[in-house]
Amino acid sequence: KLQFLYFIGVCVCVPPTMTAAGLTDDAKMELRRKNAAKLKEGYSAGKRAFEWACVVGFVVGWVWNLVRIVQEPGDVGAWVVGYVAAMLVADFMSGLVHWGADTWGSNDTFLLGTFIRSFREHHVDAYAMCKHDWIETNGDNNMLCIPTLIWMAAIPIAPEGPLYSIGSYSWHVYCLILTLLVALTNQFHKMSHQVNPHPFAKLLMSTSLILTRENHAVHHKGLHDQSYCITSGWLNPFLDFINFWRHAETAITTLTGYIPREDDKALLGEDSKAK
């Protein structure tokens, strides 16, 4: 009983914590709720139609290339090596895109603003993406893969070509796996936030074949300025250890004068520009 009364006394008597922006914790949460609602409204019918087109285009292109590849003689080794190589590349690419969209620009940025919007929404409401369907979750990533799938379809498969040379069987396998991993990266990201993901997703996460909840939780600490890789997260410990993202930001700020995460901090209520 004494512990309970002490807890009540602390809640009543101790003033809410003030942030660096001069906002109480309650004010910060209210600000984030309002910003999340505004960012959600930015998801337009035109963007939805574009995402549908990207998903359909990806599925058609990926299946077309898969059928071409399985008709050629090959070996299991090409698929195993192709998976490991593709996962490392996809993981780094996901980190690069994630870092870029988190760190620079805003939802008003010319052309890119519509894509940056979803990153900002995710920071003010990390679980909003769990309500997104397949199209909204994966449309943008599917778009990124379509040029590679078109390139693959235009190049004949050369079973006897040099290992991983353009057009070789191993190159086609690598590109096929890479496009699949890139296309599903945000789905893996979404699974890491779900309270009760699909049993198959749990199995993949338990073996670290895709991004785990524990790996990605590091990114959501503080200012969301570390552990950006979200395909498997394999590269996060190494890139964070060598301070890769801070060095990249220093270089860009030196060259351009732009301030990292300026827009994101305001939306989160973490700097004096918060409104």
Side-chain angles (χ1 to χ4, degrees), residues 28-256:
K28 273 177 59 178
M29 292 306 299
E30 181 61 25
L31 175 69
R32 293 183 183 188
R33 280 193 290 268
K34 289 180 179 179
N35 285 332
K38 290 179 183 178
L39 290 164
K40 183 179 180 180
E41 291 172 0
Y43 184 60
S44 65
K47 181 67 162 55
R48 177 74 175 180
F50 177 76
E51 289 172 346
W52 259 107
C54 290
V55 170
V56 172
F58 169 79
V59 172
V60 171
W62 197 86
V63 171
W64 177 271
N65 281 287
L66 174 64
V67 171
R68 293 177 65 223
I69 291 172
V70 297
Q71 291 177 343
E72 299 291 341
D75 61 89
V76 176
W79 290 86
V80 173
V81 174
Y83 171 79
V84 174
M87 180 58 86
L88 290 171
V89 172
D91 203 36
F92 181 72
M93 290 171 62
S94 74
L96 202 60
V97 172
H98 188 184
W99 166 77
D102 272 10
T103 308
W104 313 105
S106 71
N107 53 319
D108 295 321
T109 299
F110 180 64
L111 289 180
L112 298 178
T114 186
F115 302 104
I116 293 173
R117 179 202 64 81
S118 60
F119 289 84
R120 297 293 182 270
E121 180 187 21
H122 182 55
H123 283 179
V124 296
D125 185 358
Y127 294 98
M129 72 180 307
C130 296
K131 304 171 187 175
H132 297 173
D133 63 7
W134 185 273
I135 303 301
E136 187 173 357
T137 300
N138 301 297
D140 291 346
N141 280 51
N142 285 198
M143 170 197 68
L144 297 174
C145 300
I146 291 174
T148 299
L149 292 171
I150 293 173
W151 185 29
M152 290 171 63
I155 298 178
I157 301 174
E160 304 302 325
L163 194 64
Y164 291 104
S165 62
I166 294 177
S168 66
Y169 176 85
S170 52
W171 178 83
H172 277 275
V173 168
Y174 161 76
C175 288
L176 188 76
I177 298 173
L178 177 63
T179 52
L180 181 64
L181 292 175
V182 170
L184 294 178
T185 285
N186 216 32
Q187 188 66 34
F188 300 157
H189 180 200
K190 174 182 173 178
M191 290 171 179
S192 74
H193 281 283
Q194 290 177 324
V195 175
N196 188 30
H198 190 278
F200 184 61
K202 290 181 180 179
L203 174 63
L204 293 177
M205 287 191 279
S206 69
T207 55
S208 295
L209 288 175
I210 64 173
L211 184 68
T212 66
R213 184 178 287 109
E214 296 75 18
N215 188 310
H216 187 54
V218 178
H219 176 70
H220 283 271
K221 293 179 180 178
L223 295 177
H224 307 84
D225 60 356
Q226 57 186 333
S227 295
Y228 288 101
C229 300
I230 54 174
T231 304
S232 64
W234 291 356
L235 294 176
N236 281 329
F238 172 71
L239 294 175
D240 289 346
F241 176 74
I242 64 173
N243 222 14
F244 178 83
W245 307 112
R246 299 296 82 74
H247 292 314
E249 288 165 11
T250 299
I252 290 178
T253 299
T254 301
L255 291 171
T256 67

Side-chain angles (χ1 to χ4, degrees), residues 1-10:
K1 290 182 178 179
L2 289 174
Q3 288 177 328
F4 176 75
L5 290 173
Y6 175 76
F7 173 75
I8 296 297
V10 168

